[in-house]
Amino acid sequence: MIVDLLYSSGWAMVWKRNIPFVPPNASAPLQRMYCSYPPEIFQIISNPVSLFLMSRPIPIAKTPVKTVPPSRAKAGAGRKPGKPRRKAKSLRKPKWWLMVVEGLALMIAAVLATMFVLGYSASWLSGPGFFTSLLPFAIGVVILMLAAAALLLAWSRLRGWLHGRLDYLPAALAVVLAASTGWFVMHGGYTQVFTHFRTLVGGKQEAEKVTLAHQVYAAYRRHGIGGLQKMMVRADAFNPAIEDAAKAFDVDVNLLQGIAATESSFMPRDSFDGGKGLFQITAVPKAITREAADELDVEELQVNDPRHNAFVAAATFKHYLQEMNGDLFLGLLAYNIGPRNGGLRFIMQQYGATDFVTMQPYLQTLPRDYPIRVLSYALAFKLYQKDGKLLAYEEGDNAMRIQQMGIPGL
């Protein structure tokens, strides 16, 4: 049937749905057929021109279908609909502890290298001349700052390359660099450079301390190995008491041994000036005596007892060291002078002295040399305790080894 052919042919037609026209004498099946088609169909059939125009198909624009790559289709196949797609997490998580290790190692290497460069420059360019010393040193500091900036930039680029290979490579290289710098610092040749750096930063006080240190080294050299060795043997019987006293009052045990060596040569006795025992205890403030008795847990001290004597000496030395604000030379000098003539503080105020160097010219020979003698003996005990023997200062490189070891308390 033509109507069925037109309706099922797939041609695109547009019409308004009106009430269909049904002949009055049509049978029931025809009525159903007429009702199933719109009336415009019958108008088109009756009009040849419309039938001809209808025979030309009108193409319908098709919506392009997007193709999905197979890899993406597989990735999204298991995802439930309706949930937002999560962003892929980075495979490399930042490890903060590696960054901390790297930063600390670089800081240590930079500090040690800076100390070396400044110390070497201070030694090489030392002097009061403006054009020969001061100006070149200032230019060197500027060059050091520029070099530090350039090295930091180079490290940042190298770090990116290393981190691209392995996460821990930058930190490992920084630790190796710090360890190498530390090994160089521990090397004997660095001692003099570090001394120059301390003098540069410490100024007048450090220069005076270096001068006094060499007086101590010279006094140690004059003692002679034979005499010092005999004193080490005599000290063995008293070392336990001295060590307990040093521990009780938190003072250097070698300093207490040096005081005992200077006062009695480890031969306890009563002297004509009133000194008693191992440390030649004389007039001691009652507060100090009470403190020593409390540490020993006794009611009354027996200064002829080497142990009691050592505790009183340790308490007295700590008292004068605190009074002199931790200055070792002044603390030893105050210990030797004691409360006589108002004590060392009153004497310094009287003469306007501010440190041991400015105080020395106003003192007699014995008080002036007392700190040097104590420290030279303390140095001998330190050497003997560490190496089991005493070194001759003038032989080989012993002078550099002794200076590198340092004076107790300094």
Side-chain angles (χ1 to χ4, degrees):
M1 195 174 179
I2 297 177
V3 175
D4 293 334
L5 179 63
L6 291 175
Y7 195 76
S8 61
S9 60
W11 307 111
M13 295 174 294
V14 181
W15 60 75
K16 288 185 179 180
R17 290 188 176 272
N18 299 322
I19 299 174
F21 172 77
V22 182
N25 55 352
S27 61
L30 287 177
Q31 290 182 6
R32 286 194 298 269
M33 183 189 67
Y34 278 107
C35 290
S36 61
Y37 301 116
E40 286 79 358
I41 293 296
F42 302 99
Q43 296 176 5
I44 293 172
I45 296 173
S46 61
N47 190 351
V49 178
S50 299
L51 186 61
F52 171 76
L53 293 176
M54 188 179 170
S55 63
R56 299 179 61 86
I58 302 175
I60 299 176
K62 296 183 179 180
T63 305
V65 180
K66 295 182 179 180
T67 58
V68 181
S71 59
R72 190 178 301 179
K74 290 181 180 180
R79 187 165 51 90
K80 296 181 179 180
K83 290 187 178 182
R85 192 171 188 177
R86 295 182 180 179
K87 295 182 178 180
K89 294 183 179 180
S90 177
L91 296 178
R92 290 189 177 182
K93 296 181 180 180
K95 298 179 180 179
W96 61 269
W97 63 271
L98 285 176
M99 299 178 64
V100 171
V101 171
E102 178 185 352
L104 290 176
L106 290 177
M107 186 179 299
I108 292 173
V111 169
L112 295 177
T114 302
M115 292 169 61
F116 172 78
V117 172
L118 292 179
Y120 185 81
S121 301
S123 173
W124 187 42
L125 301 173
S126 61
F130 179 78
F131 292 101
T132 58
S133 300
L134 300 180
L135 184 60
F137 183 80
I139 294 175
V141 172
V142 174
I143 295 175
L144 177 63
M145 295 172 60
L146 295 176
L151 290 175
L152 186 61
L153 180 61
W155 175 262
S156 64
R157 295 184 177 180
L158 178 62
R159 185 185 185 280
W161 183 83
L162 293 173
H163 191 268
R165 269 62 182 173
L166 286 175
D167 290 343
Y168 61 84
L169 273 184
L173 182 59
V175 170
V176 171
L177 184 62
S180 302
T181 311
W183 175 86
F184 182 76
V185 169
M186 298 302 295
H187 194 263
Y190 188 78
T191 304
Q192 293 299 322
V193 176
F194 185 68
T195 302
H196 291 306
F197 176 76
R198 292 180 60 180
T199 306
L200 173 66
V201 178
K204 176 184 175 182
Q205 294 181 352
E206 186 62 29
E208 293 173 351
K209 188 181 293 185
V210 171
T211 302
L212 294 173
H214 281 281
Q215 293 184 25
V216 174
Y217 298 137
Y220 169 82
R221 179 179 178 274
R222 288 192 298 268
H223 284 317
I225 300 300
L228 291 176
Q229 189 69 42
K230 293 179 181 179
M231 188 174 294
M232 299 295 141
V233 175
R234 293 196 300 267
D236 287 339
F238 306 101
N239 282 336
I242 295 175
E243 291 172 359
D244 292 341
K247 184 177 180 181
F249 291 96
D250 192 23
V251 294
D252 194 313
V253 62
N254 296 137
L255 291 177
L256 282 184
Q257 291 170 330
I259 293 174
T262 305
E263 293 287 351
S264 67
S265 297
F266 289 96
M267 294 184 291
R269 63 188 182 276
D270 294 341
S271 59
F272 67 91
D273 60 352
K276 295 180 180 295
L278 182 64
F279 286 87
Q280 292 294 285
I281 300 299
T282 54
V284 179
K286 292 183 178 180
I288 298 177
T289 305
R290 186 70 263 165
E291 189 176 357
D294 291 341
E295 288 291 338
L296 288 167
D297 196 17
V298 297
E299 291 294 332
E300 186 177 355
L301 290 172
Q302 303 292 331
V303 292
N304 290 324
D305 185 338
R307 183 176 178 82
H308 291 200
N309 200 285
F311 271 72
V312 173
T316 306
F317 173 62
K318 184 177 181 179
H319 167 76
Y320 285 116
L321 189 63
Q322 291 177 345
E323 188 180 76
M324 294 295 111
N325 298 321
D327 190 305
L328 181 58
F329 288 94
L330 292 179
L332 290 171
L333 189 61
Y335 177 89
N336 179 250
I337 294 175
R340 296 192 303 269
N341 299 323
L344 178 61
R345 183 176 292 277
F346 176 78
I347 299 174
M348 292 179 65
Q349 292 176 354
Q350 182 179 3
Y351 293 110
T354 58
D355 49 35
F356 181 73
V357 174
T358 56
M359 188 62 197
Q360 273 186 319
Y362 299 101
L363 300 173
Q364 297 178 0
T365 303
L366 181 58
R368 183 176 66 241
D369 295 341
Y370 182 83
I372 304 300
R373 292 173 59 192
V374 170
L375 293 177
S376 63
Y377 284 124
L379 176 61
F381 277 98
K382 185 177 181 179
L383 289 170
Y384 190 78
Q385 181 180 354
K386 184 175 181 180
D387 295 339
K389 62 180 181 178
L390 297 170
L391 302 176
Y393 191 81
E394 65 277 5
E395 293 182 2
D397 60 346
N398 288 344
M400 297 301 300
R401 290 181 59 189
I402 294 173
Q403 293 180 22
Q404 184 179 2
M405 186 177 298
I407 301 172
L410 290 181

